[in-house]
Amino acid sequence: MYLYRDRSSPFYSSVGVTENERPVLAHQIAGVFRQAGFKVGTDYISDLSYRYLASSRLRWLLPAYNAVDRAVFAPNFMKPLRSFVLTYGEKP
């Protein structure tokens, strides 16, 4: 979905985007947490099927996107390339 939400992408859609919304990278978030004194962890998540996309131009691709996401990114070695990155901080 990075391609759908990154302003430099040809697939970018501004529908439902707030003025200050920007995709961020896990290492950027991790740096902020570390600077604040948190212990940082990151997990990579896949197989969270999308059910709706605001763009009617791309909505028809969702079933294919969900199937590819489920099949291609299931193996553990594909973990760093999964669709969702969850970076979190724990106070020591």
Side-chain angles (χ1 to χ4, degrees):
M1 294 317 264
Y2 186 86
L3 289 174
Y4 186 63
R5 286 302 194 204
D6 185 78
R7 292 176 191 266
S8 65
S9 170
F11 301 108
Y12 173 74
S13 171
S14 62
V15 176
V17 177
T18 60
E19 192 174 302
N20 63 349
E21 181 179 327
R22 301 285 187 286
V24 294
L25 300 174
H27 76 272
Q28 294 170 326
I29 299 299
V32 171
F33 280 134
R34 281 190 194 96
Q35 285 179 337
F38 286 89
K39 175 184 167 197
V40 178
T42 298
D43 197 6
Y44 302 89
I45 304 166
S46 198
D47 196 18
L48 298 174
S49 295
Y50 283 94
R51 295 183 301 166
Y52 179 80
L53 199 57
S55 170
S56 58
R57 250 181 43 221
L58 296 174
R59 193 176 305 142
W60 65 274
L61 286 172
L62 281 180
Y65 174 88
N66 290 332
V68 168
D69 182 57
R70 194 172 17 264
V72 172
F73 299 103
N76 213 31
F77 70 89
M78 293 297 285
K79 191 174 186 175
L81 302 174
R82 290 178 178 168
S83 302
F84 295 92
V85 181
L86 175 65
T87 299
Y88 56 93
E90 295 178 275
K91 200 67 170 170

